[in-house]
Amino acid sequence: RRQFSSPLINFIDWASRAWARRAGAPYLEEVEAASEMGLPRGVWFMNYAFEWGCTTRAVDDPAGGVRLLRTLDWPFHGLGRHLVVARHETAFGPYYNITWPGFMGVITAVAPGRFAIAINQAPVLKLGPNWLPYPWYLDWVMGRIGTFAGREIAPAFLLRQVFENCATFDEAKNLLRTTPLALPVFFVLAGCEAGEHFVVERLPTAANLYDREAVVANNWLDENLRGYARGLENAKRCEALNSYPLAEDKDLAWLKPPVLNDHTRLALVANAASKQLIVQGYEKDGPATRVLEVNCE
């Protein structure tokens, strides 16, 4: 509220709640319960805000399995300080969700023995004709009108369903590739076997699948897609993370500018095969938590 003002937060809270109820969004009762726990307004805003940037790499780990390296750049003050790792039980074993109090979806998580997955925000789709000059935010507005007019699932809630309901890497990949979505997004998947790393470039009703080691920021991989990239210095972030030499250590030594920037709120390394997770929260002025090493059993 200090950052965006109470009137703006209240309005977005109201709009997000209205859309979620009309669309029959999953986990609605949980978000409703969190909003009634005496927390400041903003729970609906946080759960249905889609504006963040990220840099993510999934690559074969020299020590075995697949390593997921990931930062989340979300310019909300306090997210780094209040970062938590929540352990959830499912019929297929636990998963560890890197999240915040009051947030019911999944943006980054690891399920030991199954997979690790992260969300990257996609560019703003260009919806109007190329020959018509107009500011990019009109495309953003048109896209949001389409989102709030529909009933499709938000990416963070689909990813939670994947961790709750998918027993295998292939099941997860198929669900993320085929489920209609409320808006475009990237999913980065890291399995347990060498070569199990995919990027799913999602449009609301279509998908491109990249079965290669890839670094994803917030720009399209498909050169035929039109849009406006999100985040800061996308090309430089991708180049920096992709060029970092992988060693058998799994610390955060790769976390350097421009991958690390003023908007970074978390950094992590995850390996579903070795059941290891390393995570740290950040704020604008630097590290906001200690480095947490979790043995995901």
Side-chain angles (χ1 to χ4, degrees):
R1 286 182 299 171
R2 287 192 299 269
Q3 186 174 358
F4 293 101
S5 79
S6 291
L8 179 59
I9 294 296
N10 292 345
F11 172 75
I12 300 178
D13 246 24
W14 170 82
S16 298
R17 183 178 183 177
W19 174 72
R21 285 179 164 178
R22 186 184 57 78
Y27 312 110
L28 192 60
E29 292 182 357
E30 293 186 29
V31 182
E32 186 81 60
S35 70
E36 296 174 352
M37 291 176 62
L39 298 173
R41 285 193 178 268
V43 170
W44 293 93
F45 166 55
M46 185 175 184
N47 276 279
Y48 296 97
F50 308 118
E51 310 305 321
W52 64 80
C54 314
T55 315
T56 307
R57 182 184 185 188
V59 60
D60 287 348
D61 194 320
V66 180
R67 194 186 304 183
L68 186 74
L69 297 85
R70 193 277 204 290
T71 63
L72 183 142
D73 302 337
W74 207 354
F76 294 168
H77 304 325
L79 292 183
R81 288 191 301 274
H82 299 291
L83 194 67
V84 297
V85 177
R87 186 180 192 271
H88 300 262
E89 297 293 342
T90 76
F92 309 107
Y95 72 91
Y96 293 77
N97 183 16
I98 297 81
T99 186
W100 304 271
F103 188 79
M104 302 304 165
V106 174
I107 294 179
T108 313
V110 54
R114 290 190 286 158
F115 40 73
I117 308 175
I119 287 177
N120 279 32
Q121 184 59 291
V124 176
L125 274 172
K126 184 171 176 56
L127 301 175
N130 285 331
W131 54 265
L132 182 63
Y134 59 89
W136 69 270
Y137 55 79
L138 292 183
D139 279 312
W140 182 89
V141 170
M142 288 187 288
R144 284 300 173 270
I145 291 173
T147 294
F148 286 113
R151 298 177 181 269
E152 290 75 23
I153 190 171
F157 292 108
L158 173 59
L159 191 53
R160 175 172 167 178
Q161 291 183 345
V162 166
F163 278 95
E164 291 179 340
N165 301 314
C166 293
T168 68
F169 176 84
D170 286 337
E171 288 179 7
K173 180 178 65 176
N174 184 62
L175 195 61
L176 294 174
R177 183 175 59 86
T178 59
T179 304
L181 285 177
L183 72 167
V185 74
F186 294 104
F187 296 106
V188 184
L189 291 76
C192 290
E193 303 294 332
E196 284 188 338
H197 35 68
F198 284 81
V199 176
V200 183
E201 183 179 54
R202 279 301 311 267
L203 298 174
T205 58
N208 295 318
L209 192 64
Y210 299 88
D211 60 342
R212 57 181 173 84
E213 295 181 4
V215 175
V216 179
N218 307 106
N219 52 307
W220 293 122
L221 298 178
D222 184 347
E223 296 180 356
N224 294 318
L225 292 175
R226 302 180 302 152
Y228 308 91
R230 301 173 187 265
L232 307 170
E233 300 182 304
N234 281 275
K236 291 182 179 179
R237 282 189 285 133
C238 286
E239 181 181 0
L241 190 55
N242 195 42
S243 62
Y244 184 80
L246 291 178
E248 293 194 6
D249 61 75
K250 299 176 177 63
D251 61 15
L252 298 174
W254 51 272
L255 188 60
K256 301 175 181 179
V259 177
L260 175 66
N261 58 73
D262 288 348
H263 292 168
T264 300
R265 295 297 177 262
L266 76 86
L268 70 85
V269 177
N271 187 317
S274 64
K275 303 180 181 180
Q276 290 189 315
L277 170 65
I278 299 174
V279 60
Q280 186 171 25
Y282 277 79
E283 293 290 341
K284 183 177 180 179
D285 54 357
T289 72
R290 65 182 176 89
V291 176
L292 178 64
E293 298 188 31
V294 182
N295 187 13
C296 302
E297 295 294 344

